[in-house]
Structures are given as structure tokens and as C-alpha cells.
Amino acid sequence: MSPTVVLLHAFPLDKRLWDGIVDSLAEADWDVVVPDLRGFGGSSFGDEGPDDEPSLTLMARDVLSIVDRLGVNSAVFVGLSLGGYVAMEILRQDPSRVAGLVLADTKASADSDEAKDNRLRIADQVVAAGNTEALARAMVPNLLGATTHTGRPEVVALVRGWINEADPAGVAWAQRAMAARPDSHDDLASMTVPALVLWGDEDVITPRAEQDSMMGALRDARFVAVPGAGHLTAVEDAAAVSSALIDFLADVRHLPRAT
Ligand code: MLT
């Protein structure tokens, strides 16, 4: 039996980030769950509304409650950037739910004070503007690698369009939640299930040093670099990411599947 695979998207995007991956995992016989994180895509802020104190704790709880509703006890959590922060928060909340962990283009370190201030400033700006156009202009150059920028203008336009569609309130909430996140190295060090650290070798947002730092903390981890991809590996080279995921998942297939 195979554990379920949960794909957690990056900021400020939504579950469409995984469009190029989902079918290949399903064809390889995996049950795949692809939520929109709180504030993005088709998600809602929940009963308490957007005034909830922003935190990754709430995002992680949302994901676990989706998985609960599906009757799944433990799953392989695959998180890209923000999705990785949420996956590490799930690990912190309840390691028994994690059958394996894929950390793609993410980092375990908390923000510096300067990075936190920058996030809070961007959150205020996006809410004041009432749209995410300036955010898209600022982020797209770094989200995608040089190879994609040079050779695949349609991917650049696709990602810009996704960011333009993001809800400013959701973007601001997520920025504030990410600013408050703790360091996760100790959580990774205490993990007893296999991990994959996956990284686009043109990723300038979460550089190689952050990947090495996660690898240093993890006991049972493999590292895969995706050549010619930037921060959004799952979009820039879906075939390479699918193949790395399927290889990794084959190793955790023997773990018990909760029902
Ligand atoms: C992401 O891609 O999710 C973001 O780069 C995460 C962040 O802002 O730290």
C-alpha cells in the first residue's frame, strides 16, 4: 500500500503550481491531494475570517483537516518554498502524520529581522494597492531561473498571470505568517522518516547554502538538483521533478498507509 502524497504550493501562487506533476504521480498509482493554502486559489479564510493571527500553524492545521476529512492518517508531504515551511510546521505539530518529506526550493531557517520587516512592508503595500501587480513585477525576475527567462516566455507569462490573480488579503496574511515562522532545523534533525531535498540549480531565492543546511540536519535524506530550473522547479521542469518524486516515493511505498 502507498501513502497519500500531499502537494503544497509556493507563495504567492496556488495549487496550479503542481499542474505538470499531478498526472504523472497519479499514473504511477499515487493518491494525490493538492490543496490551496489558506488565502490562495479557491481556499477561504475559514469561519474566523482574515483577522485570524497569521501563522503557519493555521495553514498546517488547514492541511491536516483536509487530510483528516479524506480519512488519511499519514502522508508524504511535498512542499515547495512556502509549501516546505508548511510541511515543516506539520512535522512540528504531529510527526506521526508524516510518512516522508520532500523539501523543494525551501529553507529551514527563520527570517532575519530585515527579511521580516520587508515582508511586513510588502503585506501593507499589497493591501494598500488592492492588487498584486507590483508584487508580480518584483517577484517574477527571481522566481524563475535564467534558463526559463531566456527560453520560455510562456512560462514567465503564466507565472506572472497567477500572481496577478492572487488575493491581496491572502498574500498579506501569508507574508505575515511567514515572518513569524520559527527555525525548523531541530525538527528536521528529529525526523525518523526519509526526506528528499530538491532544488533548481538556478534558484536565487533559496540558494544552495540553505539546501546544504537542511541536508546537514536530516538523518535520512537524498539531494536532487534540477539543472536549468530556478525557484519554481515544479513549473520550470515538471518532468524532472515528477521523476525525482516518483523515485523517492518508491522508497517510502513500503510504509504503512493510514486509512
Ligand atoms: C515562495 O516561493 O513560497 C516564497 O519564496 C517563500 C518566501 O517568501 O520565503
Side-chain angles (χ1 to χ4, degrees):
M1 297 287 265
S2 307
T4 297
V5 181
V6 182
L7 303 176
L8 302 171
H9 64 78
F11 169 92
L13 306 170
D14 56 53
K15 67 181 186 182
R16 290 175 291 182
L17 174 91
W18 300 108
D19 281 355
I21 308 285
V22 174
D23 286 351
S24 39
L25 292 187
E27 278 159 26
D29 227 15
W30 293 97
D31 288 340
V32 186
V33 178
V34 198
D36 280 323
L37 294 171
R38 182 182 286 235
F40 296 102
S43 73
S44 74
F45 277 106
D47 293 343
E48 292 168 57
D51 293 335
D52 280 350
E53 184 66 25
S55 74
L56 295 183
T57 309
L58 289 177
M59 277 186 168
R61 275 193 209 145
D62 292 342
V63 173
L64 286 176
S65 69
I66 291 168
V67 169
D68 286 344
R69 284 202 296 277
L70 296 170
V72 170
N73 271 343
S74 71
V76 178
F77 291 92
V78 179
L80 197 149
S81 201
L82 163 63
Y85 306 159
V86 175
M88 287 183 263
E89 179 60 31
I90 290 170
L91 181 69
R92 193 158 30 247
Q93 282 183 24
D94 189 352
S96 74
R97 310 299 299 268
V98 181
L101 192 62
V102 181
L103 299 167
D105 301 283
T106 191
K107 60 185 176 218
S109 47
D111 283 351
S112 64
D113 287 345
E114 187 187 353
K116 277 184 197 160
D117 289 347
N118 194 40
R119 288 194 194 278
L120 302 181
R121 187 180 49 76
I122 292 168
D124 290 345
Q125 280 174 352
V126 166
V127 170
N131 65 64
T132 51
E133 284 165 28
L135 181 74
R137 277 196 300 278
M139 285 195 75
V140 168
N142 287 334
L143 276 177
L144 299 165
T147 302
T148 301
H149 277 292
T150 307
R152 300 178 67 202
E154 73 286 1
V155 174
V156 180
L158 180 72
V159 170
R160 184 180 295 113
W162 286 344
I163 300 177
N164 283 338
E165 288 171 26
D167 174 9
V171 165
W173 195 96
Q175 280 286 31
R176 293 176 181 131
M178 289 191 285
R181 79 186 190 285
D183 185 282
S184 296
H185 284 92
D186 287 350
D187 305 288
L188 296 186
S190 64
M191 212 174 88
T192 55
V193 294
L196 166 67
V197 173
L198 189 147
W199 179 69
D201 73 356
E202 297 177 0
D203 180 358
V204 293
I205 294 182
T206 47
R208 177 66 191 251
E210 296 284 0
Q211 316 309 311
D212 292 345
S213 174
M214 291 191 291
M215 287 299 291
L218 288 159
R219 281 189 237 171
D220 176 11
R222 71 176 68 166
F223 178 72
V224 172
V226 181
H231 188 60
L232 297 185
T233 40
V235 178
E236 295 177 68
D237 195 343
V241 172
S242 296
S243 154
L245 290 179
I246 287 167
D247 283 353
F248 172 72
L249 290 167
D251 285 351
V252 290
R253 198 182 275 275
H254 66 279
L255 292 175
R257 181 191 209 179
T259 52

